Structures are given as structure tokens and as C-alpha cells.
């Protein structure tokens, strides 16, 4: 074998042209095989079944040479056997499309690809109406807004605004999405909306202080029913009702829809039904929505809807509309370098990102991080990119628990959450992302037991280390923050040395969810904790409870201990 290789080497030294020709032919043949796998896989007529190969399992899609390829993903197989081709391959099949059967067939990428057909083909769901002026002080569209500096698309913005019942969706600066029921600005030149969308280069997403605005057509009628309006409860009429709820209208044929519709049109976040009068306003010190009354006091039938309650002159039935309360939405970096470093410390999965969202709204200043998470930065946490010692942010997120790291901070807010909930939240984040979920296989496989064995002790040592080495520690329980946000947020803001007016804190209550809230619709149908796990975790809970009480603090909430 060695002699043969030596002869070949000598031959190609004498004939280098032949060597390079053979090499080129080899590479060309390999490229053709590679491209063939990426574009077409195994050619077959749509819907025609194929017997699995000898090394395939029953019903598994054939991958062929694509198993060797890293450059192209295997083409997905949709129900019914038809192939979904990639964006470079156009199917010649005349079969009717299955797109209408599912709201999202393939995740954000497929949604973006469907949005690339241009404005003319978007008429079914939205109609482009022009480029409009905008400014940061007085928004053109004053409803909900969100940012994504990496993956924003026209479809995603339209979809989010339509889901929340808005009439208009506007895109700005390539990455910002604004929703609203009314356009409150003048037209601008089309040439000024000149920035490509961050998530799809083929579409325009506004410009600098310029909005590309769409009127949402699909689902508009159902959205106007305001099924997503949030019920806030029954409340006694405030003393200065005309000041607390400044807009009002007499409605002899009152219904919840009509009042919510009226207040949404007037750009107010609260709709209060008072018999035959609809009142609108903001949560304020005059009307804080903190003392709910028995709902029976508001159980007076609506004139237009027999099965709805419309409150009375003395007891108002309050709904939160889809109008965003902008009194707490402005955020910026600290005007001067902070003299002290304040940690927002928590075990992973204890709600640190949510707490950051609340603090930013309550103080008007960005929060920082001991780490860097690009997904959080892209969602609007601008302090994420700053070094944690920069002094430009109001507090610093950290999960660290060593003595040296803890003593780097001058004070801390220590956020503690029920370990059973925190462990599951962190497991979901680790295997499903910030708002995703771990797959069923992860819960049933070896990953979950290993995760609990490694992370459960850390839950306890994290709290114990901060109590031991922290210089000035404010303990906040996640459950208390959810139950009594106003009071707990006041405590947190006071430690940060910021004076936040009550109206701003009340505004935060209406915007409390943020962009990183997991849907409550997808929950495990079984308890993932074994008796052995629960016995171990209960021991850690008792240790933390004793450590808190030793420092004259209230122990852990009762629901930490399983019944």
C-alpha cells in the first residue's frame, strides 16, 4: 500500500495538471450531491407513500445524503405526506395549500418567509397606508409597543397588534413595533421610511422617527369585541369621580363592549361601567384599584346585554383596555455615575428578568447585568450590554453566590422564590428559552433528575451566602411581589434611592407582565418531583426558613411547604 501511494505521489509530481483536474472534478461532484440534497431531497410525487429503507424506523422521513450535511436542514414533512420545500425551491404541486389550517406552521422563520411576498400580497391581513412622522415624546400610535433588534418582521408586528385588538400596526427603526387605534401624526415622504427590517431584509420597517403603518384587516371584527380586555373588578365610585375618570358618556344601551370601545377610542387604559354611564381614565391616587368590593354590588344587568353586568352609579365595574399606559414607559441610563453598586440577586428561575422589568418601569432607569444575554438586549433591556461596573444602571442582575462576588456589591435586593417553581422555571429556560418550555422527553429523561440533584442545593446556598456575606440585603419573596406588587415595589425602589411617584407605580401595575412571561396554557399534566426529591428540597426549605428567622426576618411563605 505504501509503495502504491509513493508511485501515485511521484506520478502527480510529474503531471500536476492532471492532479488539479481530478481534484476539481471530485469537488464539483461533491458539491452537486450536496446541493441536490439541500434543494430536493428524494424526488417523489406529493402525497405518494414510500417504503422505509432497511435502516429506517417505521414512518420516519427519508433523509438520504442530508444526514451528512450540516449546511442545509432536512425538509420538513407536513401531515399528509407532502413536502415543505425551502425558500429557494418552488413546488410545482397544484394541491391546495394547508396554510389556513394552522395559525403558525413552522415557527417564526416560516412566518417571516410567508411575509416576504410583498405589500401587495399582504392585503388579506393588513393594508399598508403610508409612512408617518413619530417622536419619542408624543407617539403616533399610543398602544402597546415592543422591540426586537434582531428578528423583527412586518408579519410579527402585525400579528402581535392584531391579537391584542388594535386597528393599526407601525414599524420604526427596523426593529420597533407600535400598536394603536388612532394615527395621531402627519404623513411623511415614503423615501423617509427607508430602513430594512432586522428579521427580513426584503421588507421596510420605517426609519428614524418614521413609522411604516398598516391597517389591520383580518380578525378586526372579532378583535373589536375586546375579548382580551382585562377584568379588574368591582370598585366603589371615587369621591372626585370627574377628576379621577375625566372622560364619560351616557349610554342608554350600555354593554361591556360599547364602554371598552369608547374608552379605547379616547385612548384611556381603564373603562368603568356605572349603570348607564361609561367612564374612562387612568389608575391614580384618586382611583388606585387596590380595594376591591364584592362583585355582587356591581351585579346590575346591562341594558343591551342580558347576561352582562354593568355596575351602578355607586359601584363601578372596571376593565383594562388594550391602550398602553405610557406614564411609566420612558427609560434611560443614569445621568451620573452611581456611587454604589446594587445587586438584584436571585437563584435562576426566581423571576429576576420580571423584577428588572418592574424596576425599569418604576424608576425610569435601565438595569444592568453581571452577564450579557443578547436575547434580553434585543427585547429592550439596553443596560444588558454595559459592563456591570459601568455605574450607568440602577441595579445589577446576578445569580452569583460566592463570597468574593457578593462583597463586590454595596447592597442588594435578594429575590427568593418557591424552589419547586424556581427549579421548573429554570429547567424550562435551559431547554426551551426565556419564554419556551422543555420538551416532554427532557422531563421524562435523565436531564430532569440530574438537574434537580445539581440545582436544588444551590437554591439554598445562594440565599444563605447572600444573607451571610451581603452588606445590606433587602429580602423580597417572589410570591409577595405577585400578590402585593405596589407595596413590594415601593420597598425595592426605596432601597435603590429613587423617589417614584405613586401614579408611576400604579402605571407599572397595569404593565406588569412584560415580554418574558410564559403562557399558562402549557403545563405539565403530572408532578415531576419524586418523593425523594421532595424530601431533599423540604430540608433545604427548612434551612433557609431558619436562616431568615435568625436575622429577624419573616420566614419563607407557607406555600413553600407542600401539604
Amino acid at each position: 500500500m505504501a509503495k502504491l501511494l509513493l508511485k501515485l505521489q511521484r506520478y502527480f509530481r510529474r503531471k500536476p495538471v492532471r492532479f488539479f483536474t481530478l481534484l476539481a472534478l471530485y469537488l464539483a461532484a461533491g458539491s452537486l450531491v450536496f446541493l441536490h440534497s439541500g434543494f430536493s431531497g428524494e424526488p417523489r410525487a406529493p402525497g405518494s407513500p414510500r417504503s422505509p429503507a432497511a435502516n429506517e424506523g417505521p414512518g420516519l422521513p427519508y433523509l438520504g445524503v442530508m444526514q451528512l450535511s450540516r449546511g442545509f436542514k432536512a425538509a420538513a414533512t407536513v401531515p399528509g405526506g407532502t413536502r415543505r420545500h425551502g425558500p429557494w425551491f418552488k413546488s410545482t404541486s397544484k394541491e391546495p395549500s394547508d396554510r389556513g389550517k394552522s395559525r403558525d406552521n413552522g415557527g417564526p422563520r416560516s412566518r417571516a418567509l410567508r411575509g416576504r411576498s410583498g405589500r401587495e400580497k399582504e392585503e388579506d391581513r393588513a393594508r399598508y397606508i403610508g409612512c408617518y412622522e413619530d417622536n419619542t415624546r408624543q407617539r403616533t400610535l399610543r398602544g402597546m409597543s415592543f422591540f426586537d433588534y434582531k428578528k423583527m418582521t412586518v408579519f410579527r408586528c402585525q400579528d402581535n397588534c392584531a391579537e391584542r385588538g388594535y386597528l393599526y400596526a407601525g414599524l420604526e427603526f427596523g426593529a420597533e413595533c407600535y400598536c394603536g387605534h388612532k394615527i395621531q401624526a402627519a404623513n411623511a415622504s415614503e423615501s423617509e421610511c427607508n430602513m430594512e427590517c432586522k428579521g427580513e431584509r426584503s421588507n421596510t420597517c420605517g426609519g428614524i422617527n418614521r413609522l411604516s403603518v398598516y391597517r389591520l384587516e383580518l380578525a378586526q371584527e372579532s378583535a373589536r369585541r375586546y375579548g382580551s380586555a382585562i377584568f379588574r373588578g368591582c370598585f366603589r365610585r371615587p369621591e372626585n369621580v370627574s377628576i379621577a375618570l375625566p372622560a364619560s358618556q351616557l349610554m342608554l344601551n350600555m354593554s361591556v363592549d360599547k364602554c371598552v370601545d369608547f374608552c379605547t377610542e379616547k385612548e384611556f387604559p381603564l373603562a368603568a361601567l356605572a349603570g348607564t354611564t361609561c367612564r374612562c381614565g387612568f389608575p391614580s391616587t384618586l382611583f388606585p384599584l387596590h380595594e376591591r368590593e364584592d362583585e355582587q354590588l356591581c351585579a346590575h344587568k346591562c341594558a343591551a346585554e342580558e347576561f352582562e353586568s354593568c355596575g351602578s352609579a355607586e359601584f363601578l365595574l372596571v376593565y383594562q383596555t388594550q391602550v398602553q399606559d405610557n406614564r411609566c414607559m420612558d427609560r434611560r441610563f443614569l445621568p451620573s455615575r452611581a456611587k454604589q453598586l446594587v445587586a438584584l440577586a436571585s437563584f435562576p428561575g426566581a423571576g429576576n428578568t420580571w423584577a428588572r422589568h418592574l424596576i425599569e418601569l418604576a424608576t425610569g432607569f435601565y438595569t444592568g447585568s453581571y452577564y450579557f444575554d443578547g436575547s434580553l438586549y434585543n427585547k429592550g433591556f439596553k443596560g444588558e450590554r454595559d459592563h456591570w461596573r459601568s455605574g450607568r444602571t440602577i441595579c445589577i442582575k446576578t445569580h452569583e453566590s460566592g463570597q468574593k462576588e457578593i462583597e463586590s456589591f454595596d447592597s442588594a435586593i435578594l429575590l427568593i422564590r418557591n424552589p419547586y417553581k424556581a427549579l421548573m422555571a429554570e429547567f424550562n429556560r435551559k431547554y426551551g428559552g426565556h419564554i419556551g418550555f422543555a420538551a416532554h422527553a427532557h422531563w421524562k429523561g435523565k436531564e430532569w433528575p440530574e438537574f434537580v440533584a445539581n440545582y436544588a442545593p444551590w437554591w439554598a446556598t445562594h440565599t444563605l451566602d447572600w444573607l451571610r456575606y451581603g452588606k445590606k440585603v433587602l429580602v423580597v419573596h417572589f410570591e409577595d411581589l405577585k400578590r402585593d406588587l405596589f407595596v413590594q415595589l415601593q420597598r425595592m425602589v426605596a432601597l435603590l434611592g429613587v423617589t417614584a411617584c405613586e401614579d408611576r407605580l400604579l402605571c407599572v401595575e397595569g404593565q406588569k407582565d412584560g415580554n418574558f412571561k410564559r403562557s399558562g396554557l402549557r403545563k405539565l399534566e403530572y408532578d415531576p418531583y419524586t418523593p425523594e426529591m421532595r424530601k431533599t428540597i423540604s430540608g433545604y426549605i427548612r434551612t433557609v426558613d431558619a436562616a431568615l428567622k435568625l436575622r429577624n426576618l419573616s420566614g419563607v411563605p407557607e406555600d413553600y411547604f407542600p401539604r
Side-chain angles (χ1 to χ4, degrees):
M1 188 65 182
K3 289 181 179 179
L4 179 62
L5 290 174
L6 187 61
K7 286 181 180 180
L8 285 172
Q9 187 180 10
R10 288 175 179 173
Y11 174 76
F12 283 124
R13 279 182 180 174
R14 292 194 300 269
K15 307 284 185 178
V17 174
R18 292 185 182 181
F19 171 73
F20 286 113
T21 302
L22 286 171
L23 181 63
L25 288 171
Y26 174 78
L27 293 174
S31 298
L32 287 172
V33 172
F34 183 79
L35 289 172
H36 177 75
S37 71
F39 286 119
S40 59
E42 182 193 27
R44 63 187 178 89
S48 61
R50 185 187 61 79
S51 300
N55 61 343
E56 279 185 70
L60 293 176
Y62 172 69
L63 300 180
V65 294
M66 293 188 68
Q67 290 174 327
L68 305 175
S69 166
R70 294 185 182 183
F72 289 84
K73 293 182 179 179
T77 302
V78 296
T82 58
R83 294 184 67 81
R84 268 205 5 248
H85 301 281
W88 302 279
F89 189 97
K90 292 185 179 180
S91 172
T92 57
S93 171
K94 300 296 182 183
E95 287 187 12
S97 171
D98 287 338
R99 286 181 186 179
K101 296 180 182 179
S102 173
R103 186 166 167 268
D104 188 357
N105 221 1
R109 177 166 174 75
S110 67
R111 284 163 55 179
L113 292 173
R114 291 202 298 270
R116 288 186 179 183
S117 56
R119 288 173 182 163
E120 292 78 9
K121 294 184 181 181
E122 289 171 352
E123 294 290 333
D124 288 344
R125 67 168 178 266
R127 178 167 55 88
Y128 178 73
I129 60 174
C131 183
Y132 285 81
E133 297 176 358
D134 192 28
N135 71 71
T136 56
R137 294 182 178 275
Q138 198 78 356
R139 289 293 180 190
T140 301
L141 296 175
R142 300 176 188 174
M144 184 210 73
S145 63
F146 72 97
F147 312 141
D148 192 331
Y149 292 94
K150 192 174 181 181
K151 298 180 180 179
M152 181 62 75
T153 66
V154 172
F155 181 87
R156 185 180 175 199
C157 181
Q158 293 172 350
D159 198 34
N160 275 272
C161 293
E163 274 187 355
R164 290 160 175 79
Y166 290 105
L167 299 180
Y168 297 98
L171 296 108
E172 183 173 331
F173 203 63
E176 302 175 2
C177 176
Y178 297 89
C179 312
H181 291 283
K182 187 192 302 183
I183 300 173
Q184 304 189 62
N187 277 97
S189 168
E190 285 298 317
S191 62
E192 295 177 39
C193 285
N194 53 14
M195 296 187 73
E196 294 177 336
C197 302
K198 297 293 184 182
E200 51 176 350
R201 301 287 183 182
S202 59
N203 261 338
T204 302
C205 285
I208 300 173
N209 288 333
R210 293 295 182 267
L211 277 172
S212 296
V213 179
Y214 294 81
R215 180 178 176 86
L216 305 175
E217 305 291 346
L218 273 187
Q220 185 175 310
E221 290 303 316
S222 60
R224 294 291 285 178
R225 297 169 66 88
Y226 291 95
S228 57
I230 301 169
F231 175 68
R232 296 297 298 269
C234 178
F235 299 90
R236 187 180 294 275
R237 187 186 70 174
E239 291 185 7
N240 299 314
V241 66
S242 59
I243 299 174
L245 302 168
S248 64
Q249 181 165 308
L250 182 66
M251 294 183 178
L252 296 179
N253 291 322
M254 173 70 84
S255 71
V256 174
D257 282 352
K258 288 178 181 177
C259 187
V260 169
D261 195 21
F262 171 72
C263 293
T264 301
E265 183 69 24
K266 295 293 183 182
E267 299 286 347
F268 285 103
L270 294 184
L273 289 78
T276 55
T277 303
C278 175
R279 299 186 181 276
C280 317
F282 295 89
S284 65
T285 52
L286 295 174
F287 197 46
L289 304 184
H290 287 163
E291 297 181 8
R292 294 178 63 160
E293 303 287 348
D294 187 336
E295 289 181 27
Q296 290 299 316
L297 297 172
C298 290
H300 298 271
K301 291 181 180 179
C302 296
E305 294 288 345
E306 182 181 357
F307 300 105
E308 289 183 357
S309 297
C310 278
S312 66
E314 289 298 319
F315 294 95
L316 314 183
L317 206 59
V318 179
Y319 289 84
Q320 183 171 319
T321 73
Q322 291 297 306
V323 175
Q324 189 172 47
D325 189 344
N326 289 319
R327 296 175 299 169
C328 57
M329 299 306 293
D330 59 301
R331 286 170 289 176
R332 62 192 187 280
F333 289 103
L334 292 173
S336 58
R337 184 182 175 89
K339 296 179 181 178
Q340 292 190 329
L341 289 175
V342 183
L344 178 60
S346 74
F347 175 78
N352 199 302
T353 301
W354 180 54
R356 288 178 68 184
H357 165 74
L358 297 175
I359 289 171
E360 289 194 1
L361 295 187
T363 64
F365 296 114
Y366 289 120
T367 58
S369 178
Y370 196 82
Y371 322 97
F372 171 71
D373 187 328
S375 65
L376 292 180
Y377 178 83
N378 290 330
K379 293 291 185 181
F381 287 93
K382 299 294 184 62
E384 192 75 17
R385 184 170 283 182
D386 269 37
H387 189 274
W388 66 278
R389 286 187 176 274
S390 70
R392 297 206 307 159
T393 53
I394 193 69
C395 64
I396 312 297
K397 164 190 173 175
T398 180
H399 299 310
E400 301 301 308
S401 55
Q403 179 179 355
K404 181 180 177 182
E405 289 79 5
I406 292 172
E407 291 179 346
S408 301
F409 294 95
D410 300 294
S411 57
I413 297 169
L414 177 59
L415 190 62
I416 304 174
R417 186 181 186 184
N418 184 326
Y420 294 103
K421 301 289 181 64
L423 288 167
M424 292 178 69
E426 176 59 11
F427 190 74
N428 276 321
R429 186 206 64 79
K430 185 175 181 180
Y431 289 100
H434 279 287
I435 55 175
F437 294 86
H440 184 76
H442 291 134
W443 292 101
K444 287 294 189 181
K446 64 179 182 179
E447 293 92 342
W448 172 242
E450 290 178 356
F451 178 86
V452 172
N454 292 327
Y455 276 67
W458 182 18
W459 176 85
T461 57
H462 182 277
T463 299
L464 297 176
D465 282 356
W466 276 95
L467 292 175
R468 181 178 181 184
Y469 301 118
K471 297 171 187 174
K472 182 182 178 183
V473 179
L474 172 69
V475 175
V476 176
H477 292 284
F478 176 87
E479 293 75 18
D480 292 339
L481 187 60
K482 283 186 68 176
R483 189 164 37 243
D484 197 354
L485 187 144
F486 188 86
V487 171
Q488 297 300 324
L489 201 51
Q490 274 185 321
R491 295 175 64 220
M492 296 162 71
V493 169
L495 180 80
L496 297 171
V498 177
T499 304
C501 67
E502 287 191 30
D503 280 356
R504 187 171 185 112
L505 294 177
L506 291 168
C507 169
V508 177
E509 285 188 310
Q511 318 290 330
K512 62 184 180 182
D513 285 344
N515 287 331
F516 287 94
K517 179 181 173 63
R518 282 189 180 86
S519 168
L521 299 178
R522 181 176 170 183
K523 293 183 178 179
L524 284 178
E525 297 177 356
Y526 60 90
D527 183 1
Y529 292 100
T530 64
E532 292 77 14
M533 290 178 183
R534 287 192 171 274
K535 182 179 179 181
T536 303
I537 294 172
S538 293
Y540 295 139
I541 292 173
R542 285 191 291 271
T543 301
V544 170
D545 185 59
L548 290 170
K549 290 176 177 176
L550 193 62
R551 287 159 178 78
N552 295 320
L553 300 170
S554 60
V556 300
E558 290 183 6
D559 57 6
Y560 282 28
F561 296 99
R563 292 183 176 86

